[in-house]
């Protein structure tokens, strides 16, 4: 907007803003609309609203009596409708005024539930591709009213004149654009037809396109929406909806869920994705309002947990934002989101009750999505928790199957802790679930809600070591010197060393260490390094007894039996470091720099010792 220099006027007198139309168009193109292509959608919306008003005026008119005709030949783009049309007063109110309300405009606003958009700012989008908008209209409300011509230009000027009736013999409106040279990308005949099909394929009024070649106009929307058609059998309907979803969304759905919310006039489909997607990734959904495509990226139509589907819906009562490219967040949208979520839950329930093969295929692909839902939905939890796959010491299996074998289910807090103990726990007969993946630990702890006879507990080092068999007293005394040297060598890692027997015998050592213990030792080490400073005092005030890792040597392993008998101090120290390094590698957790250095050094020392012995 600009404020022109005005002649002097009495102090306090009201003045009127002057609109810089070029600046306003620039604002629309860079900040309101995503692309100049929306000009055709705005023209179609105005035409559809005019047809809606015409049908309200003439309710006895047969379906399809009024339509929309598009024309583009490269030199002009024209949109003609058989709608209610405009009188000269309407032209002043709706086309020549920006942002001002009138009595007639207020009447239209009251009936807005019957319309896609509203007169006003939408027509300005045409200035994104043309410098002049030419409108000829004749009103159906006033049969003897003459045709009216309005020409609006990008500099903010316009002209209005009355035409002879022959200029527009039937009621309706024709909008003609003469494209700018730089707008050819959006106004070529092939592009205009593509945009018309993109935005208007589900419109309820007939829309045709003519490229000026002399042939008959091509139908833009030859068939109604697939969910509005009739089919000979339910199977045929299901296949047709799946084919439509594949054509529009670009993938073959695992299954198709029909959506129908009569309260808001919403119909459509949800297509189950055939491949897994990362948790929380929200897909854009195709949302039409009264047949007109509003957005292909409307992720707000479904809750966050429903990332395993993509939707195509058409609704009557959803409210577009000012740009009409997304949905306005209001109570209606929230209610629609909740209702659609319930439809997805119902589909999962039906699959669980009557189609185990479909359920198995769905869970195989989308178990993470269902776990996300089960965390917050008690009904889904009770229904599907026993079916969901988890990584356990018995392999990948369902909790229901796992709990039949293990009355007490232990769960780790991280993936690395599970990998540390999996082989040993399995040999010891312990039932351990990997709780390190998203949602898994929380869900496993809720298993007793479904199976009260099963108990769940967190796995800690004490629980595991309690299931390892001690060695006899003579064996432990014989290994005492070696264990002392090993503890001395590994003291830098705050690691204790113990000798036990456990299966499998092929495992020489087990490193029992938790992430929390490592964090506490790191904090204690920082406190020691910062001793005397302010930061050191703060860390010292938080100091606790640092938990120690534990390297458990397996007396059943031949290598360990040989190692504990070593008399040479340096070789004993090197072998203990090598056993620690091998156990750290098997835990598959990230190695600290000191541990990597120890593994390299111990390997080279053992190699050097072997070469000296050979010579």
């Amino acid at each position: 907007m600009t404020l022109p220099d005005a002649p002097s006027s009495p102090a306090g007198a009201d003045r009127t803003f002057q609109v810089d139309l070029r600046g306003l168009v620039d604002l629309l193109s860079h900040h309101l609309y995503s692309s100049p292509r929306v000009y055709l959608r705005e023209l179609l919306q105005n035409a559809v609203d005019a047809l809606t008003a015409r049908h309200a005026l003439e309710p006895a008119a047969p379906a399809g009596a009024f339509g929309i005709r598009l024309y583009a030949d490269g030199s002009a783009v024209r949109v003609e409708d058989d709608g209610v049309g405009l009188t000269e007063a309407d032209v002043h109110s709706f086309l020549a005024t920006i942002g001002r309300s009138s009595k007639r405009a207020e009447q239209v606003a009251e009936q807005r539930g019957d319309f896609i958009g509203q007169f006003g700012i939408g027509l300005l989008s045409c200035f994104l591709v043309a410098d002049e908008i030419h409108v000829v209209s004749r009103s159906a409300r006033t049969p003897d009213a003459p045709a009216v011509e309005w020409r609006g230009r990008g500099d903010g000027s316009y002209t209005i004149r009355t035409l002879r009736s022959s200029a527009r013999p039937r009621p309706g409106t024709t909008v003609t654009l003469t494209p700018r040279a730089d707008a050819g990308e959006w106004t070529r005949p092939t592009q205009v037809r593509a945009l018309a099909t993109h935005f208007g394929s589900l419109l309820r009024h007939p829309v045709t396109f003519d490229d000026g070649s002399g042939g008959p106009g091509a139908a833009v929307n030859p068939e109604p929406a697939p969910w509005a058609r009739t089919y000979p059998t339910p199977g045929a309907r299901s296949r047709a909806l799946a084919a439509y979803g594949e054509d529009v969304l670009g993938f073959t759905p695992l299954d198709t869920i029909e959506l129908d919310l009569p309260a808001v006039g919403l119909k459509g489909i949800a297509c189950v994705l055939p491949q897994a997607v990362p948790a929380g990734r929200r897909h854009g959904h195709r949302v039409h309002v009264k047949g007109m495509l509003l957005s292909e990226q409307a992720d707000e139509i479904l809750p966050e947990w429903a990332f395993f589907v993509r939707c195509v819906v058409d609704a009557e009562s959803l409210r577009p934002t000012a740009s009409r490219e997304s949905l306005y967040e209001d109570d209606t949208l929230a209610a629609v989101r909740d209702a659609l979520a319930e439809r997805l839950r119902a589909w999962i329930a039906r699959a669980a009750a009557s189609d185990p093969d479909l359920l198995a295929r769905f869970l195989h692909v989308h178990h993470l999505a269902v776990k996300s839902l089960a965390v917050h939905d008690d009904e889904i939890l009770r229904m599907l928790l026993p079916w969901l796959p988890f990584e356990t010491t018995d392999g990948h299996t369902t909790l229901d199957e796992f709990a039949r074998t293990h009355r007490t289910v232990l769960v780790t807090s991280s993936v690395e802790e599970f990998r540390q103990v999996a082989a040993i726990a399995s040999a010891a007969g312990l039932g351990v679930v990997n709780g390190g993946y998203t949602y898994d630990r929380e869900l496993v702890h809720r298993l007793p809600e479904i199976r009260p006879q099963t108990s769940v507990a967190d796995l800690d080092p004490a629980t595991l070591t309690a299931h390892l068999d001690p060695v006899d007293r003579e064996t432990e005394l014989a290994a005492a010197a070696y264990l002392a040297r090993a503890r001395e060598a590994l003291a830098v890692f705050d690691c204790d060393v113990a000798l036990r027997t456990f299966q499998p015998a092929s495992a020489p050592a087990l490193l029992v260490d938790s992430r929390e213990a490592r964090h506490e030792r790191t904090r204690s080490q920082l406190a020691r390094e910062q001793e005397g400073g302010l930061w050191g005092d703060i860390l010292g005030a938080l100091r606790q007894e640092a938990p120690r890792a534990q390297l458990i040597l397996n007396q059943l392993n031949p290598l360990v039996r040989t190692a504990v008998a070593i008399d040479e101090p340096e070789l004993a120290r090197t072998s203990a470091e090598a056993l620690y390094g091998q156990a750290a590698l098997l835990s598959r957790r990230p190695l600290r720099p000191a541990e990597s250095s120890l593994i390299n050094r111990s390997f080279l020392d053992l190699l050097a010792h072997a070469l000296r012995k050979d010579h």
Side-chain angles (χ1 to χ4, degrees), residues 100-186:
R100 181 185 301 167
S101 177
S102 67
K103 182 177 181 180
R104 175 69 192 288
E106 290 168 358
Q107 292 172 352
V108 171
E110 290 174 1
Q111 302 170 1
R112 189 166 177 241
D114 295 329
F115 299 94
I116 299 171
Q118 56 186 331
F119 288 104
I121 202 169
L123 191 63
L124 294 180
S125 65
C126 295
F127 286 121
L128 300 176
V129 297
D131 286 327
E132 183 175 282
I133 304 171
H134 179 218
V135 178
V136 176
S137 186
R138 184 175 180 183
S139 176
R141 298 181 187 276
T142 309
D144 57 348
V148 181
E149 178 191 67
W150 178 86
R151 289 183 183 271
R153 290 169 285 276
D155 60 4
S157 63
Y158 67 91
T159 58
I160 297 177
R161 67 189 182 107
T162 301
L163 304 177
R164 294 189 301 273
S165 297
S166 59
R168 175 82 201 197
R170 296 193 307 272
T173 301
T174 301
V175 180
T176 304
L177 308 179
T178 301
R180 291 197 309 270
D182 62 353
E185 177 184 358
W186 306 109

Side-chain angles (χ1 to χ4, degrees), residues 566 571 574-575 578-579 601-611:
I566 296 174
L571 182 58
T574 299
S575 67
L579 288 169
R601 186 179 68 250
S602 62
F603 170 76
L604 293 175
D605 288 349
L606 287 175
L607 181 61
H609 177 79
L611 292 175

Side-chain angles (χ1 to χ4, degrees), residues 66-101:
F66 309 129
I68 302 170
R69 293 165 295 281
L70 303 179
Y71 175 91
D73 63 357
S75 61
V77 175
R78 187 167 68 244
V79 179
E80 181 178 346
D81 67 68
D82 300 319
V84 72
L86 302 172
T87 64
E88 184 174 350
D90 294 333
V91 168
H92 284 285
S93 297
F94 297 142
L95 302 185
T97 303
I98 299 174
R100 181 185 301 167
S101 177

